[in-house]
Amino acid sequence: MKKIAFGLSAVALSIAASTGHAGEVEVLHWWTSGGEAAAINVLKEEMVDAGHTWKDFAVAGGGGESAMTVLKSRAIAGNPPSAAQIKGPTIQEWGDLGFLTNLDDVAKASQWDQVLPRVVSDTMKYDGHYVAAPVNVHRVNWMWANPEVFRKSGASIPTSWEQFIVEAKKIKAAGFTPLAHGGQAWQDATLFEAIALSKGSKFYRDAFIDLTEDTLRSKDMVNVFDTFKQMREFVDPGFSGRDWNIATSMVINGDAAIQIMGDWAKGEFTAAGKKAGIDYVCFPAPGTSDAFTFNIDSLAMFQVDGKEKQAAQKDLARLILEPKFQETFNLNKGSIPTRLNMPRDKFDTCAHSAMDSFLASSATGNLVPSMAHGMAVNSMVQGAIFDVVTNFFNDESMTSEEAVDKLARAIKASM
Ligand code: GAL
């Protein structure tokens, strides 16, 4: 009965769109790589099919730092876009500033409270009201590998960071780059948090959610920095400043063995026509098989003037949670649907493994928010961690003990 009612309202909305209520949505995002662009195009096409106009506001730059800078200047000028890719605690920051619009009517009609896992729906709300629509769930603690490079190097897939170092040496000796990496602060932080997670979810939570000083200054944290610095030995000389998708292409082309990156990397393999389990393999980052670092992408909706624009914005929010969009978008993006109980048959083995791990880790308490991707702490604390992590990676003379001290101080100062 509910399904029929919902179907009718969807038809009514699209008729409304094609009979004069068509409006424009301007959408800010940073999805410009091959896989990312294929994914966002799905949404663009659905909006155009519903009779609306899509104004693309893409600001290139993985991790979204540049996009957020541009968004701030547009908002300060009093001219924010209809929707922007804003995630996690940052949604609260924009809510506090009074920029976001209430989506409760769309959410109620489409039963978001019922179809979304709690960890997702909570993040989409400000002050108890929906203000953002989630497009996906990314797993961040992944290791992408080229099996041919491993075979030629006589190396095995590592399951701990100690073993990673042993295998990476073999790969290097065979003439390949062991670790495809781009030296940008958010990519450094992605690698760093994967190493930290291998100390256990409790350690990770204490350090990056509760920001406990004892944990930040602990021996384990010194050890995390030690391992992180050792990775310098395994990147190629051109790593500095490289975009993440160029690093992925090094694994795709067989120049490099491994990339530690969230599953948007899978979007690049897919866009290049590569098949999971054949051309490339996916494993949890070493020592993190029980855990799942989540990164939920969402479009937060800004207050806009004009009935047409508002109607288009609500249509955008509604379409995002529809099963068809959730499937097609996530097949291209490399992530898993945010909606519960979706059919799994079109997804590959890496996505199945992410789906299983998402459920298992939520039951065991090993589902943790990604610090590197803005899910764990606000943007001030995140920026403070990024600075220490990236400076340490690039400064050969800084010791791990110094880094730990700087980390604890920087976090305190930013709180
Ligand atoms: C993440 C974002 C992903 C992916 C990645 C690289 O922060 O959540 O969707 O696009 O950046 O750009």
Side-chain angles (χ1 to χ4, degrees), residues 111-133:
Q111 302 185 309
W112 289 8
D113 275 340
Q114 285 74 45
V115 302
L116 292 175
R118 189 71 195 269
V119 63
V120 178
S121 57
D122 281 353
T123 316
M124 300 304 125
K125 290 178 183 171
Y126 174 73
D127 202 15
H129 302 287
Y130 279 101
V131 291

Side-chain angles (χ1 to χ4, degrees), residues 30-33 36 61-64 85 87 135-136 138 140 186 244 261 264-265 295-298 329 333 335 372-375:
W30 62 88
W31 290 326
T32 54
S33 77
E36 290 175 331
Q85 192 198 345
K87 302 185 292 183
V135 293
N136 64 358
H138 273 301
V140 185
W186 72 272
W244 68 272
M261 187 50 67
W264 46 93
N295 173 18
I296 305 162
D297 285 319
S298 49
F329 177 89
K333 189 75 168 70
S335 37
H373 294 276
M375 301 302 300

Side-chain angles (χ1 to χ4, degrees), residues 192 216-230 388 392-393 395-408:
F192 178 77
L216 294 169
R217 291 186 177 279
S218 65
K219 275 227 162 60
D220 273 347
M221 191 58 93
V222 172
N223 187 254
V224 168
F225 275 102
D226 283 344
T227 305
F228 182 50
K229 192 59 127 323
Q230 276 183 285
V388 175
F392 173 77
F393 201 58
D395 178 350
E396 294 201 2
S397 67
M398 199 194 296
T399 66
S400 298
E401 285 76 11
E402 282 165 349
V404 157
D405 182 52
K406 282 185 201 287
L407 183 69

Side-chain angles (χ1 to χ4, degrees), residues 41 49 59 75 103 134 286 322 352 384 397:
N41 272 340
D49 286 350
V59 181
L103 300 172
E322 293 213 338
H352 287 173
S397 67

Side-chain angles (χ1 to χ4, degrees), residues 38-51:
I40 190 72
N41 272 340
V42 175
L43 191 55
K44 178 183 172 176
E45 277 163 21
E46 291 201 2
M47 282 301 280
V48 171
D49 286 350

